[in-house]
Amino acid sequence: MPQEMIEDIEEIQNGIVSFAGKYFIFAESKKKRTTLVQLKFSHKLNGKTVRFNIDEESDGTQRLLDLLPMLFAMRENNHAIYFVDEIDRSLHTKLSQYLLNEFIHCCENTYNQIIFTAHDVNLINTNDFRQEEIWFIEKNSLGESHLHPLSDFNLQKGQDTGSGKITY
């Protein structure tokens, strides 16, 4: 294992790490010893348990494991910014919403922020995010991107936007 990874594990004290295509959960004990356990998966098939590695798991499960270190870290940090590209990639809408709600809940009374992109319009919810926190990216015919905050749009209270999610 690379020395840099060992130092990161010692500094963070608990979480998930990927090494050589395998995932490991690690935690520091009360005796200040770090335990590393390989994460394996099992499914029941015709009454038999079949074990396999993460690379044989679904894209959604792999994506969830990619996001878990952020969930561990945000409980420990009070001044962090998390960038997540396509937070909804390979995840069901309800799971994406759950992850965002967990972030909001865990980061109350902290200075943590999350900046994420998503394609799922069901994640746009002004009950959880203020209008100036929600931005849209639009590409023109030249391929140039332009940013527009939701606050630039004239929304009326209770207006149905098609997804039924924008309420304030």
Side-chain angles (χ1 to χ4, degrees), residues 52 142 150:
F52 49 93
L142 300 173
L150 180 59

Side-chain angles (χ1 to χ4, degrees), residues 9-21:
I9 288 172
E10 290 173 346
E11 182 179 326
I12 297 170
Q13 297 176 345
N14 63 60
I16 297 175
V17 65
S18 174
F19 176 69

